[in-house]
Amino acid sequence: MEHADLVAYCLSKPGAVPDEPWDGDVVAKVGGKIFAFLGGDGLGVKCGRDADEAAELRMRFPESVTVMAYIGRHGWNAITLDGRIDDDELRELVDASYDAVVAKLPERLRPA
């Protein structure tokens, strides 16, 4: 999957908006919360409740998935878009991250 296609997919989610909280680092947010880091040529998503759950993806794709700096202990992984993870699974990872973030939003901030 091309990076631009991944960005478009993230922003097609209900209530998703782009933001650039740090110079040059684009993120996708819903309800004011980040669900995908889209800077550079990679992807950062929530892959579980904590680092232990997120480790499963890192074990399956050790060449392509690493712990995200600073927030990895909370279940976030950084994914290199090198073709080792197929497009359907990348979309599923985005969907799961989006769903996890939306589930924690107050009812009034959840997309309809």
Side-chain angles (χ1 to χ4, degrees), residues 7 16 40 74 89 106:
V7 171
H74 300 290
E89 187 154 6

Short mmCIF file of all heavy atoms in Angstrom, two decimals, residues 7 16 40 74 89 106:
data_model
loop_
_atom_site.label_atom_id
_atom_site.label_comp_id
_atom_site.label_asym_id
_atom_site.label_seq_id
_atom_site.Cartn_x
_atom_site.Cartn_y
_atom_site.Cartn_z
N VAL A 7 -3.00 7.15 4.12
CA VAL A 7 -3.49 8.41 4.69
C VAL A 7 -4.95 8.60 4.30
O VAL A 7 -5.79 8.92 5.15
CB VAL A 7 -2.62 9.60 4.22
CG1 VAL A 7 -3.26 10.92 4.63
CG2 VAL A 7 -1.21 9.48 4.79
N ALA A 16 -12.86 11.38 11.26
CA ALA A 16 -11.40 11.51 11.20
C ALA A 16 -11.00 12.85 10.58
O ALA A 16 -11.59 13.29 9.60
CB ALA A 16 -10.80 10.37 10.41
N GLY A 40 6.29 10.64 7.70
CA GLY A 40 7.29 9.86 6.97
C GLY A 40 6.64 8.86 6.04
O GLY A 40 5.62 9.12 5.43
N HIS A 74 2.10 1.59 25.93
CA HIS A 74 0.64 1.66 25.93
C HIS A 74 0.02 0.91 24.75
O HIS A 74 -1.16 1.08 24.46
CB HIS A 74 0.18 3.12 25.93
CG HIS A 74 0.67 3.88 27.11
ND1 HIS A 74 0.22 3.66 28.40
CD2 HIS A 74 1.61 4.85 27.21
CE1 HIS A 74 0.84 4.47 29.23
NE2 HIS A 74 1.69 5.20 28.54
N GLU A 89 -4.39 -6.36 5.89
CA GLU A 89 -4.00 -6.35 7.30
C GLU A 89 -3.68 -4.94 7.77
O GLU A 89 -4.00 -4.57 8.90
CB GLU A 89 -2.82 -7.28 7.55
CG GLU A 89 -2.52 -7.41 9.02
CD GLU A 89 -1.84 -8.69 9.43
OE1 GLU A 89 -1.48 -9.49 8.56
OE2 GLU A 89 -1.69 -8.89 10.65
N PRO A 106 -15.53 10.06 25.23
CA PRO A 106 -16.84 10.30 25.84
C PRO A 106 -17.92 10.20 24.76
O PRO A 106 -17.67 10.51 23.59
CB PRO A 106 -16.74 11.74 26.36
CG PRO A 106 -15.29 12.08 26.36
CD PRO A 106 -14.63 11.19 25.36
#
